Every structure is written in C-alpha cells, then in structure tokens.
Amino acid sequence: MNAKRVKFENISKVFVTDKNRQVKAVNNINLDIQPGEFVCLLGPSGCGKTTTLRMLAGFEVPTDGHIFIGDENIERLTPDKRDTAMVFQNYALFPHMNVFDNIAYGLKLQKLPKEEVEARVEKILHLMKMEEFAERVPSQMSGGQQQRVSLARALVMEPGVLLFDEPLSNLDAKLRLHMRDEIRKLQQEVGITSIYVTHDQSEAMGLSDKVVIMKDGVIEQVGSPTEIYQKPANSFVANFIGRANILEAVIKEVGEDGYTIDVHGVPYSVEKSKEYQLGDKVEIVVRPEAIEVSEEGNFTAKVGKSMFMGAHHEYEVNFFGKPLEISLNNPKNKSMVAVDESLRFSLDAASIHIL
Ligand SMILES: Nc1ncnc2c1ncn2[C@@H]1O[C@H](COP(=O)(O)OP(=O)(O)O)[C@@H](O)[C@H]1O
Ligand SMILES: [Mg+2]
C-alpha cells in the first residue's frame, strides 16, 4: 500500500443554512497525520468530525485553508482524484449486486482489465477471509458481514488514505468490539493511513496511534491514548476521556522540573506541565483509580456511595464538600467500607496532572 501523509492547514468550514444562518462547523484546524498512522477524530455529536472527514474526501469544500495528501494540495480535486476511500456507517452497498461485484465496482469504473479486477477482488476477499461470501447479496448477510464488505470495497482501491465515519455504530456491542479488533489488525497488516471518526471514546482509545479530541469545531488536544488520558490538556478532555476528579490546589514550591502543590493541607510533588508561579491556584486531575485507599491515608472522608462492581469497588466520598470518585481495583480481599462510614485514602502523586 502507498500510505500517504495528510495535512490540514487552517481549515475552516462555514455552512449557510436555508434561513441564512451561518454555522461554523470547523474552526481553523491544523493537523498533521503521518503515513501509516491510525488517527481517530473523537468528540461529541455536532463537533465537526464528519465535516472534517468529508472535506478530506472531497464531499465538502473548505471555506478556508488548505488540505494536502502527500505533497499534493487537493482542495480543488474531485473526490475520485483524491486517493481516498471511505467506509460509511450505513455500509452503502449496492443491494442488487453480490459481494464480488460490490467490491469490484470501483475497479471496473477505472476500466482495469478484467483479469486484474478479479485478481484484486480475490486477494481482498482472501485477506478478509470472506471468500465464501462472494456470491451473496447484501440482504443475505448480517450487519457485521456487510460492514466487512464495505471495508473490502474501500481497501481494494488501494487508497493512500482510508476514511471511516462511525462505521460500527449500527452493530451491537459485542460485534462492535470484534470488528474494532479486526479493523485494527487489518490496518496494521496493510499499513494504510487511516482516519476514523467516532464519538465512542473506548473505540478511539482501542484503535488509535493518535487521538484528536474535537469540540465545537475546534481541536482541543492531539495525542496518543496514554497522553490524552494521563495528561489531558483541559477539563473538557479530562472529563470526556474516562472519569476524572478535578480538584483545587495551590502551588507551594516551584522547582526545576516540578512543583510542590498543596491539596487541602497535604503537600504533593508533581511534574511540571504548564508554567505557574508560587501561590497560583490550579486545577488538578486525579483519576478515580489513582486514589489509594489505606489506613495510613492522608485524608478521611465520609462515604456517600459504595458499590461492589466485581473487578473493582466504587466509592463516592464527600471531599471538602464536593463528590470525589474512588475506584479500588481487585477488591475481593479488602474489607469494604459502607455508606456513612469513613474512608481513609491518599492521592497517588505520580498520577496527579496539573491542568
Ligand atoms: N450541510 C449542512 N448544513 C448546515 N449545517 C451543517 C451541515 N452539515 C453539518 N452541519 C452542522 O455542522 C456542525 C458539525 O456537524 P458534523 O460535522 O456532522 O458533526 P459530527 O460529525 O461531529 O457529529 C453541526 O452543528 C451540524 O449541524
Ligand atoms: Mg458525524
């Protein structure tokens, strides 16, 4: 495969609605995607993910900015000239064609010799272990199988960039997990640059080399799943990815590459993220699993909720008047603390991230 680099430079898209209202769907985004990377655009519904993808595919024209695939500036090219292929949420297969013909369709349009078309379709059917489906029409297949055909139809074009718009949303939860693993495996096998739109954080975390968090047409953060989780850029990202406690703290000491912060009277040494001055009030993120329940803990708080979840135990305690979530892993041999009793705990200093 000829994996391509993708670059968005100051891309904006303004829609004008029937009532002459302007909607800024995408607001000045910059993004640099390396060849072979798997990148997810993740964010709540309406944040501009689909519009971004459609501008890359050529179905929408940017209001401003430039898009490059490889070294080529592509804003003026029609979709068929862009070296992209898209997998849609609703599969978009031709209902009257069998699987083989559905997959062959794009190649036939390119007027390739019959032998080459057949060889390429067979190769993809083999890669996706779908040889036995070649003669079926879409109505004779499950949603998951149809989505695999739709993926095969995109892959057979050997595009430089593969695009996905919420491809698993119509499948049930179990099949979604299975297909997610299959997409990732296949992508790694063929090494194709992939851009995948989803509003499902676990999908994005499980698939991506890089996650792009969007909100209201703006990119909030770009990073690996670990970076996004451990070092969220702001409280929106912290709350959107996983669960987060956001606490107040004060900078007590400024060191070379760290701070000492005061969290309700307890000092913690933490890594430097941004520049702060002595005495600054800051917000810190503490994940529920980064709180250590122990008899020697620094804090004591009254338990408001106590739930045994099997693999972990969840508490909500009253922490200086605000709810604090605590998740205790592998709780089987630990004695549980009931509602209205007190729980002792400390924060794990290494997991504290200053916003
Ligand atoms: N053709 C259009 N005309 C007017 N507004 C649109 C059009 N397409 C999308 N929008 C608006 O642009 C914003 C972003 O939409 P979209 O990119 O589909 O978001 P997402 O895929 O993240 O859910 C939304 O407010 C949506 O209503
Ligand atoms: Mg969308």
Side-chain angles (χ1 to χ4, degrees):
M1 288 270 175
N2 57 337
K4 292 261 177 85
R5 176 179 177 184
V6 174
K7 213 167 164 203
F8 289 87
E9 267 182 22
N10 305 110
I11 281 290
S12 293
K13 177 69 186 179
V14 179
F15 288 108
V16 181
T17 65
D18 312 338
K19 289 175 184 132
N20 228 4
R21 220 169 45 85
Q22 294 206 339
V23 182
K24 200 152 207 180
V26 174
N27 190 355
N28 194 28
I29 65 169
N30 287 283
L31 197 54
D32 195 353
I33 295 167
Q34 301 309 312
E37 246 182 344
F38 198 115
V39 173
C40 279
L41 306 184
L42 174 67
S45 177
C47 71
K49 307 180 294 293
T50 293
T51 304
T52 303
L53 205 66
R54 287 172 60 82
M55 286 191 282
L56 181 57
F59 304 135
E60 301 287 357
V61 181
T63 311
D64 240 317
H66 300 290
I67 306 178
F68 298 87
I69 295 182
D71 294 324
E72 194 175 13
N73 190 323
I74 55 143
E75 300 109 59
R76 276 173 198 81
L77 299 182
T78 51
D80 56 306
K81 300 275 187 310
R82 290 196 180 195
D83 204 10
T84 60
M86 174 108 82
V87 180
F88 298 93
Q89 180 176 345
N90 58 5
Y91 324 136
L93 299 174
F94 298 112
H96 57 284
M97 283 185 198
N98 69 22
V99 166
F100 190 99
D101 291 335
N102 260 290
I103 299 175
Y105 185 81
L107 298 176
K108 286 182 182 162
L109 278 189
Q110 291 186 344
K111 305 233 172 7
L112 295 180
K114 191 160 174 264
E115 300 73 44
E116 190 184 340
V117 173
E118 281 178 9
R120 277 170 68 173
V121 174
E122 267 154 24
K123 190 174 132 205
I124 291 289
L125 284 170
H126 178 71
L127 179 73
M128 300 198 63
K129 302 185 186 68
M130 292 203 79
E131 291 106 325
E132 58 184 300
F133 294 94
E135 302 301 323
R136 294 206 204 173
V137 293
S139 62
Q140 296 168 325
M141 290 184 293
S142 70
Q145 288 160 348
Q146 291 185 54
Q147 194 51 296
R148 281 165 67 200
V149 176
S150 152
L151 179 56
R153 190 181 55 177
L155 278 173
V156 82
M157 303 307 293
E158 301 182 357
V161 189
L162 189 55
L163 310 177
F164 300 85
D165 195 353
E166 313 241 7
L168 307 183
S169 300
N170 290 347
L171 307 177
D172 65 54
K174 203 166 163 201
L175 192 55
R176 216 154 49 219
L177 282 183
H178 175 74
M179 284 290 294
R180 186 181 86 186
D181 293 347
E182 207 164 287
I183 287 175
R184 182 55 169 162
K185 222 173 97 207
L186 204 65
Q187 188 268 343
Q188 284 175 333
E189 251 171 68
V190 299
I192 189 169
T193 310
S194 302
I195 307 181
Y196 187 109
V197 161
T198 179
H199 65 276
D200 180 333
Q201 52 149 304
S202 64
E203 223 167 87
M205 299 295 268
L207 280 168
S208 311
D209 297 311
K210 205 152 120 190
V211 185
V212 177
I213 309 269
M214 294 181 69
K215 182 191 162 210
D216 298 336
V218 169
I219 293 177
E220 296 284 329
Q221 187 170 8
V222 180
S224 68
T226 16
E227 280 163 357
I228 297 264
Y229 188 77
Q230 293 170 352
K231 300 186 187 325
N234 52 46
S235 61
F236 172 78
V237 176
N239 283 305
F240 194 74
I241 300 291
R243 294 185 303 157
N245 295 297
I246 297 188
L247 310 177
E248 284 163 13
V250 180
I251 305 281
K252 280 289 173 201
E253 248 177 71
V254 179
E256 273 289 293
D257 39 31
Y259 297 113
T260 305
I261 58 169
D262 176 285
V263 185
H264 294 286
V266 179
Y268 284 98
S269 300
V270 300
E271 223 178 85
K272 223 175 214 181
S273 43
K274 297 171 192 156
E275 288 300 320
Y276 286 109
Q277 312 282 318
L278 204 63
D280 279 352
K281 281 190 183 157
V282 294
E283 284 187 318
I284 59 170
V285 180
V286 184
R287 300 289 183 184
E289 71 277 9
I291 297 177
E292 293 159 348
V293 172
S294 121
E295 285 304 319
E296 290 84 48
N298 298 121
F299 300 105
T300 305
K302 195 165 139 182
V303 174
K305 282 186 198 158
S306 176
M307 290 177 290
F308 177 69
M309 308 296 286
H312 62 283
H313 194 98
E314 281 185 20
Y315 292 106
E316 188 186 290
V317 302
N318 180 335
F319 192 67
F320 299 92
K322 286 190 186 149
L324 179 78
E325 290 183 41
I326 299 175
S327 177
L328 184 62
N329 284 327
N330 196 17
K332 59 184 186 289
N333 292 326
K334 297 166 190 163
S335 58
M336 296 308 153
V337 177
V339 171
D340 288 339
E341 291 180 12
S342 337
L343 186 69
R344 282 193 82 85
F345 57 89
S346 293
L347 313 182
D348 170 28
S351 310
I352 293 176
H353 173 67
I354 305 181
L355 285 179

